[in-house]
Amino acid sequence: MKKLYQLSLVMLLAFTVILAGCGNNNNNSGNAGGKNAGAATNAPAEATAAPTDAPKTDVKVGMVTDVGGVNDKSFNQSAWEALQALEKETGIEIKYLQSKSNADYEPNLNQFVKGGYNLTWGIGFDLGDAIKKVATENPNANLAIIDSVVDAPNVESVTFSENEGSFLVGVVAGLTTKTNKVGFIGGMESPVIKRFEVGFKAGVLAVNPKATVKITYAGAYDKPDIGKSLAATLYNDGNDIIFPAAGATGNGVFNEAKSRNKAGGSKVWVIGVDKDQSLEFGDDVTLTSMIKRVDEAVKKVSQQVVDGTFKGGTTTVLGLKDNGVGLPETSKANVSADILAKVDEYTKQIIDGTIKVPAE
Amino acid sequence: MSKLRKIFATDSYIVPLVAIVMGFLVGAIVMLVGGYDPIAAYSALFKRVFGSPYDFGEAIREMTPLMFTGLAVAFAFRSGMFNIGADGQVLIGMTAASVVGIKFAGALPNFVLVPLAVIIAGVCGGLWAGIAGYLKAKRGINEVITTIMLNWVALFLSNYIVRSFLLLQGQNRSEDIPASLSMTFLNSVFDNARLHWGTAIALAAAVFFYVYLWKTKQGYEMRAVGLNPHAAEYAGMNVGRNVIKAMFISGVFAGLAGAGEVLGVFHYQSVFAASPGYGFDGIAVALLGLTHPLGVILAAILYGTLTYGSAGMSFGADVPPELIRIVIGSIIFFIAAQGIVRWVLKPFYFKRKKEKVL
């Protein structure tokens, strides 16, 4: 028995040494990959872009995700990708922290604020209270938040007119549906998601009064399994287009649609949200996407910090006319030219105020 | 000297300690495989927890609910039951504290309101767990199943209550709760970390746990029922009543955790997308602490340190925070599979025996 033990100890040591060797190799070849662990999509690109040719600045920008996490293929990810792009352009230092629960928001924000970061982003409506508290306790820190309005002199708030963009995808859905039934899956009931819901419904009914819009809520932004089962119910019910506005929960909707289209039967569609999700999930299921330019907003405000023009205390509302929401170019793949013309028509009417899209 | 040796020779102290060390080693190996530097990662982890007063205070905040739920699970365990529903009981405690804290805010002075909210939270958590205890005692339904089901009922019931009666207009949370358990006098020391009296209540609960189970007749009965309900019944103890009572007390602990969270940490209650998970972490804490109150407190401190420090790991050493779950998982694995730890320790035992012979 003793011998066996000694043998196993030697083996363990040898194993550790070998592994340590592997570890070092990895480190040498992929420094940048390790640095931005988690942001898988852009890691290889990062490795090639040597930081030497980027202009040097010592600005540090931190970002705290909501519980959806940085790889939600939705707005946390767009925000992070925007920061990565800015890192390449200006050489700023960036870092993110993921929140496991809403108790983490405050310590995560504080980690950046107390770590001397020049700007700290809170991504998502849920971080509003935490941002407010941290901003009040640290009046010299700069903070910014997406999707919520925080009334503090050192916080920049960015919100979007999701109802306008959702109206447009509603128009597409209303004109594309064959069954005259479309579905909507919200994350959790909140003013933000309500704007998606109301805008979408108004858009569908504006072009297709016969259609019905079935509204459901998943109750979570991070549960693809719930998204998948809700999508199955909606598709079984005869809805042929679903618009999920539910963060990572929506990934389950794509998954369900994909397996249905693969199995044959009647064609079903998903409308992407926040990002151009056809790039992520493919043109075979993504009809179009309601893009919310979180990336543009994050980039713009972060750039202000780099340039030293950050003011804070203001609220920016980005709508159709600011190009803050809208449809991606890739929509042409699945949406006919007639429908896109109709979308353009509505876009003009919304911008010049002929049509007022309800928000709640 | 012999006493000292006795302490260190007892498995109950050594096994968890060795399991913890082995857990860290497994974590280190995984980090090496992933190409991370484990030493940098672990030092970032501990630096995050002990590096600044703010973080230390927040780490204590992280430990507090784990102490409560760990005690809750351990208490039920000592009485022969597996309370998987601590999560639901926490939620019920939260909701009860919020309702009392908001609805009676005007009518009662603060020094009455806060204790009242805490007590009602505990009682409601206890009654919620008592449902499972009653069903077990009177109908023989396995408490594992009922408590899991009650978790969901608790989640949706508390969301319903918050949404319909306490909602702050246009938000996903309740109104602010005027009743507060925060230790505001420590704000300057701990840099506004969210410390609250719940921590003190948790320590008191651990003392109560020990005294009640090991120093009172009722506690003796409960342990007897836990060890062998048939023998206990034969000895003339009322098994059903003990089951209900044990579940009630277990639920009280969990309910108090909820009160601490809403009255001490958040000062409002959010509409939860999923249950906060304190109850499930509590199971791990109870196992890690070998279901002894002192062990549970120590285990909660370790668990809280690791959980809170994991963000520091990703911040300071770029190691994904999920890795800490591997460490925690391995520690629990080694504690559950004690044979592995004993096997590793065997040569050391041999040595000691030889010394004795000499």
Side-chain angles (χ1 to χ4, degrees), chain B residues 112 117 120-121 187 194 199 207 225 267 314-315 317 341:
Chain B
V112 182
I120 293 199
N187 268 0
R194 292 168 290 177
T199 317
V207 174
V225 169
H267 302 294
S314 65
F315 186 80
V341 176

Side-chain angles (χ1 to χ4, degrees), chain B residues 164-330:
Chain B
S164 347
F165 304 111
L166 308 173
L167 198 68
L168 184 67
Q169 210 50 50
Q171 297 282 330
N172 232 341
R173 64 173 180 88
S174 73
E175 298 162 36
D176 288 316
I177 304 171
S180 165
L181 265 181
S182 295
M183 294 171 154
T184 37
F185 58 96
L186 288 175
N187 268 0
S188 54
V189 186
F190 283 100
D191 214 0
N192 295 318
R194 292 168 290 177
L195 285 170
H196 57 90
W197 284 103
T199 317
I201 302 175
L203 296 175
V207 174
F208 168 81
F209 185 129
Y210 180 78
V211 172
Y212 187 78
L213 268 193
W214 278 278
K215 304 289 173 201
T216 69
K217 183 170 152 270
Q218 295 187 8
Y220 181 82
E221 282 192 11
M222 250 174 224
R223 280 185 297 133
V225 169
L227 289 171
N228 188 336
H230 303 295
E233 189 166 19
Y234 188 70
M237 295 170 192
N238 186 338
V239 173
R241 201 172 59 200
N242 272 302
V243 163
I244 297 175
K245 209 158 58 183
M247 278 309 272
F248 176 79
I249 295 175
S250 168
V252 168
F253 289 151
L256 291 174
E261 287 304 286
V262 292
L263 301 181
V265 178
F266 290 110
H267 302 294
Y268 60 81
Q269 184 175 349
S270 349
V271 174
F272 287 98
S275 51
Y278 298 126
F280 297 105
D281 290 345
I283 297 172
V285 168
L287 286 176
L288 199 58
L290 303 175
T291 65
H292 187 280
L294 178 65
V296 168
I297 295 293
L298 293 177
I301 291 174
L302 175 76
Y303 203 104
T305 306
L306 293 181
T307 316
Y308 187 74
S310 64
M313 239 170 52
S314 65
F315 186 80
D318 293 310
V319 176
E322 285 80 9
L323 249 168
I324 211 63
R325 290 270 154 190
I326 297 181
V327 175
I328 293 173
S330 330

Side-chain angles (χ1 to χ4, degrees), chain A residues 1 5 19 23 27 34-35 37 95 97 100 102-103 106-107 110-112 114 125 129 133 137 188-189 191 219, chain B residues 29 32 35 48 54 58 61 170 172-173 191-192 194 268 270-271 273 308 310-311 314-315 318 343-344 347:
Chain A
M1 198 62 201
Y5 173 74
L19 288 176
N27 260 352
K35 191 172 161 226
K95 204 156 243 179
L97 282 172
K100 290 183 290 289
N102 49 4
E106 264 189 64
N110 266 314
Q111 175 97 51
F112 287 120
K114 293 186 201 279
F125 180 77
D129 294 311
K133 183 156 180 262
E137 285 165 7
M188 286 175 82
E189 280 179 64
Chain B
I29 290 173
L32 282 173
R48 153 98 159 171
Y54 173 81
E58 280 289 318
R61 191 264 310 151
N172 232 341
R173 64 173 180 88
D191 214 0
N192 295 318
R194 292 168 290 177
Y268 60 81
S270 349
V271 174
Y308 187 74
S310 64
S314 65
F315 186 80
D318 293 310
W343 179 70
V344 170

Side-chain angles (χ1 to χ4, degrees), chain B residues 4-294:
Chain B
L4 195 74
R5 175 175 289 167
K6 207 174 152 196
I7 288 175
F8 283 103
T10 327
D11 272 0
S12 62
Y13 287 82
I14 284 193
V15 169
L17 286 180
V18 174
I20 289 165
V21 173
M22 286 169 73
F24 275 103
L25 282 178
V26 170
I29 290 173
V30 174
M31 279 182 227
L32 282 173
V33 173
Y36 303 106
D37 179 0
I39 295 171
Y42 284 135
S43 52
L45 188 156
F46 287 106
K47 208 179 127 208
R48 153 98 159 171
V49 178
F50 301 105
S52 76
Y54 173 81
D55 284 323
F56 187 62
E58 280 289 318
I60 294 176
R61 191 264 310 151
E62 181 94 38
M63 293 163 194
T64 306
L66 296 173
M67 292 181 187
F68 276 120
T69 52
L71 289 172
V73 175
F75 195 91
F77 212 77
R78 285 281 172 182
S79 321
M81 272 166 303
F82 200 15
N83 179 8
I84 300 189
D87 228 31
Q89 293 140 27
V90 170
L91 280 168
I92 292 296
M94 278 184 181
T95 313
S98 305
V99 170
V100 175
I102 292 171
K103 293 293 175 200
F104 294 111
L108 295 168
N110 244 356
F111 65 90
V112 182
L113 178 67
V114 176
L116 183 74
V118 173
I119 291 168
I120 293 199
V123 170
C124 289
L127 291 175
W128 195 256
I131 299 174
Y134 176 82
L135 290 172
K136 164 115 176 169
K138 300 292 176 206
R139 293 278 178 269
I141 301 166
N142 192 325
E143 78 284 358
V144 172
I145 294 165
T146 45
T147 49
I148 286 187
M149 290 161 91
L150 283 170
N151 276 346
W152 293 102
V153 181
L155 174 65
F156 294 117
L157 178 67
S158 45
N159 280 353
Y160 170 76
I161 291 174
V162 172
R163 253 202 211 110
S164 347
F165 304 111
L166 308 173
L167 198 68
L168 184 67
Q169 210 50 50
Q171 297 282 330
N172 232 341
R173 64 173 180 88
S174 73
E175 298 162 36
D176 288 316
I177 304 171
S180 165
L181 265 181
S182 295
M183 294 171 154
T184 37
F185 58 96
L186 288 175
N187 268 0
S188 54
V189 186
F190 283 100
D191 214 0
N192 295 318
R194 292 168 290 177
L195 285 170
H196 57 90
W197 284 103
T199 317
I201 302 175
L203 296 175
V207 174
F208 168 81
F209 185 129
Y210 180 78
V211 172
Y212 187 78
L213 268 193
W214 278 278
K215 304 289 173 201
T216 69
K217 183 170 152 270
Q218 295 187 8
Y220 181 82
E221 282 192 11
M222 250 174 224
R223 280 185 297 133
V225 169
L227 289 171
N228 188 336
H230 303 295
E233 189 166 19
Y234 188 70
M237 295 170 192
N238 186 338
V239 173
R241 201 172 59 200
N242 272 302
V243 163
I244 297 175
K245 209 158 58 183
M247 278 309 272
F248 176 79
I249 295 175
S250 168
V252 168
F253 289 151
L256 291 174
E261 287 304 286
V262 292
L263 301 181
V265 178
F266 290 110
H267 302 294
Y268 60 81
Q269 184 175 349
S270 349
V271 174
F272 287 98
S275 51
Y278 298 126
F280 297 105
D281 290 345
I283 297 172
V285 168
L287 286 176
L288 199 58
L290 303 175
T291 65
H292 187 280
L294 178 65

